[in-house]
C-alpha cells in the first residue's frame, strides 16, 4: 500500500494534468494514498479528487506554500486543506500573483542576458497561463538550447544568487503554517534537507521555529532531499513530537526525482501524519 503525500500537476509545474497524475499513480505506480501538493494553489484538487474517487484510492487535498525563513526559501506543505474555503483560496491566489510578477521580472533578466522571449515561452507552457515556476523557465532554456539540462539552468541562471534569480516576497514560515491551519489543514515542513541552510544550528532553529508556529509534521523521506537526511528528520520528529510524512515531489517522468510512491515509506518509530487526517 504505497503512500505519496507530495506531488505536482499542471496546476503548478508538474507535467501531468491532475486526473492524469492520479491515474498514473494508481495504475502504473501502485500508490493507494496520495496528496496533490501544487505550489501555492489548490486549483487542481477538485479534478484530482474526482479521478481518485473513480479509481477508489484515498486522496488528500494538499498545497505546497512558498515561504521564507530569514533569507532562505522554505516550502511548507499543507495536507487536508479545505479548497472551498474562500479566504484560503483568495490567499493562495495572492501567492500566485506574486509568482506571476516574479516571472515577468525573471523574463526581463533573461532578456538582458541575451535570451529574449522566455517569459512568453514559460507562460505558454503553463496550462492555465498562471502559476509560472522557475522549472518552466528551466524547461524553456533547455528547449532553446541555452542549457543542456534543468540543473544547468538553475546553476547558471535561476538558482539563488544567480543572474536571473528574483527574490519574491513570500510569507514567513509562521504565516504559511497559520494559513494552512485557517483552512483546516495540517502543516508539514517539506524536504528540510533541500533548504540552502548549512550549519546544524540553522536547521535546528528552522525546525524549532516551525514547531513554535504550530507546525505538526515533517517530511522524513522526500524525493527532493538526500536519504542522508532521513535520520536527522527522524531525530527532529522525536525531539519535537512531530508526525512524519513521505513524498516523492514528483513533477514528471523526465525529471530527476523518484516515481510516485518509490521514494520510500515511513520508517518504524514515527507517527504517520495520516493519523491527523482521518
Ligand atoms: P519556484 O518557482 O521558485 O517555486 O521553483 C520551483 C521549482 O524549481 C521546484 O519544482 C524545484 O524543484 C525547482 N528547483 C528549485 N531549485 C532548483 C535547483 N537548484 N535545481 C533544480 N531544480 C530546482
Ligand atoms: Mn516544483
Ligand atoms: Mn518544494
Ligand atoms: Mn514540491
Amino acid at each position: 500500500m504505497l503512500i505519496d503525500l507530495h506531488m505536482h500537476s499542471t496546476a503548478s509545474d508538474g507535467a501531468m494534468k491532475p486526473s492524469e497524475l492520479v491515474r498514473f499513480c494508481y495504475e502504473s505506480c501502485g500508490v493507494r494514498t496520495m496528496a496533490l501538493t501544487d505550489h501555492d494553489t489548490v486549483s487542481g484538487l477538485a479534478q484530482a479528487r474526482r479521478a481518485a474517487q473513480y479509481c477508489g484510492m484515498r486522496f488528500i487535498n494538499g498545497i505546497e506554500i512558498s515561504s521564507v525563513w530569514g533569507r532562505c526559501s522554505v516550502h511548507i506543505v499543507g495536507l487536508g486543506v479545505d479548497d472551498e474555503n474562500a479566504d484560503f483560496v483568495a490567499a493562495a491566489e495572492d501567492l500566485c500573483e506574486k509568482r506571476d510578477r516574479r516571472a515577468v521580472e525573471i523574463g526581463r533578466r533573461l532578456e538582458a542576458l541575451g535570451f529574449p522571449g522566455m517569459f512568453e515561452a514559460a507562460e505558454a507552457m503553463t496550462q492555465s497561463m498562471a502559476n509560472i515556476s522557475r522549472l518552466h523557465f528551466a524547461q524553456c532554456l533547455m528547449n532553446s538550447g541555452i542549457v543542456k539540462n534543468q540543473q544547468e539552468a538553475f546553476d547558471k541562471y535561476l538558482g539563488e544568487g544567480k543572474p536571473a534569480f528574483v527574490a519574491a516576497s513570500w510569507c514567513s514560515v509562521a504565516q504559511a503554517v497559520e494559513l494552512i491551519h485557517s483552512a483546516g489543514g495540517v502543516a508539514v515542513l517539506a524536504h528540510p534537507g533541500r533548504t540552502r541552510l548549512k550549519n546544524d544550528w540553522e536547521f535546528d532553529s528552522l525546525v524549532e521555529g516551525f514547531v513554535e508556529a504550530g507546525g505538526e509534521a515533517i517530511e522524513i523521506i522526500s524525493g527532493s532531499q538526500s536519504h542522508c537526511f532521513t535520520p536527522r528528520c527522524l531525530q527532529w520528529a522525536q525531539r519535537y513530537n512531530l508526525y512524519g510524512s513521505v513524498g516523492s515531489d514528483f513533477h514528471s517522468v523526465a525529471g530527476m526525482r523518484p516515481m510516485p510512491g518509490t521514494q520510500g515509506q515511513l520508517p518504524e518509530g514515527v507517527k504517520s501524519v495520516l493519523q491527523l487526517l482521518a
Side-chain angles (χ1 to χ4, degrees), residues 60-277:
I60 288 156
N61 279 357
I63 189 168
E64 180 173 20
I65 295 188
S66 308
S67 73
V68 287
W69 175 255
R71 284 154 81 191
C72 178
S73 139
V74 171
H75 289 172
I76 309 291
V77 160
L79 296 178
V81 290
D82 174 11
D83 63 332
E84 286 170 9
N85 177 316
D87 290 341
F88 179 65
V89 173
E93 275 166 8
D94 281 349
L95 295 175
C96 289
E97 230 178 273
K98 285 184 181 175
R99 283 190 161 274
D100 289 350
R101 282 199 297 274
R102 181 190 65 160
V104 171
E105 185 55 30
I106 293 175
R108 286 203 187 108
R109 301 253 179 126
L110 288 171
E111 183 160 5
L113 290 163
F115 315 128
M118 290 296 139
F119 171 75
E120 290 74 11
E123 190 184 43
M125 195 172 278
T126 66
Q127 192 194 37
S128 51
M129 303 279 181
N131 206 335
I132 302 172
S133 150
R134 283 184 292 162
L135 202 57
H136 292 121
F137 280 102
Q139 192 63 46
C140 295
L141 289 166
M142 266 171 72
N143 294 348
S144 308
I146 297 161
V147 296
K148 287 191 296 293
N149 52 48
Q150 276 174 17
Q151 198 51 48
E152 191 185 344
F154 280 92
D155 291 345
K156 279 193 176 162
Y157 304 111
L158 301 167
E160 276 179 63
K162 304 301 172 191
F165 177 77
V166 178
S169 51
W170 305 129
C171 60
S172 68
V173 166
Q175 286 167 325
V177 170
E178 192 187 325
L179 187 59
I180 289 163
H181 287 171
S182 76
V186 169
V188 186
L189 181 58
H191 47 63
R194 223 194 75 192
T195 57
R196 278 167 52 88
L197 300 174
K198 287 195 188 71
N199 302 306
D200 284 351
W201 65 267
E202 291 175 302
F203 282 104
D204 288 344
S205 111
L206 165 64
V207 180
E208 220 165 276
F210 172 75
V211 170
E212 269 168 26
E216 293 99 338
I218 185 169
E219 284 185 349
I220 305 283
I221 303 178
S222 161
S224 57
Q225 85 183 1
S226 155
H227 277 291
C228 306
F229 258 87
T230 298
R232 295 180 71 178
C233 292
L234 271 172
Q235 273 180 357
W236 283 316
Q238 277 148 8
R239 190 186 312 162
Y240 296 108
N241 200 23
L242 291 167
Y243 289 78
S245 185
V246 293
S248 59
D249 207 359
F250 178 80
H251 286 68
S252 78
V253 289
M256 301 287 284
R257 297 189 178 97
M259 290 297 114
T262 67
Q263 74 285 340
Q265 300 297 301
L266 207 59
E268 300 247 335
V270 58
K271 301 168 293 182
S272 167
V273 69
L274 291 172
Q275 290 177 21
L276 297 175
L277 298 163

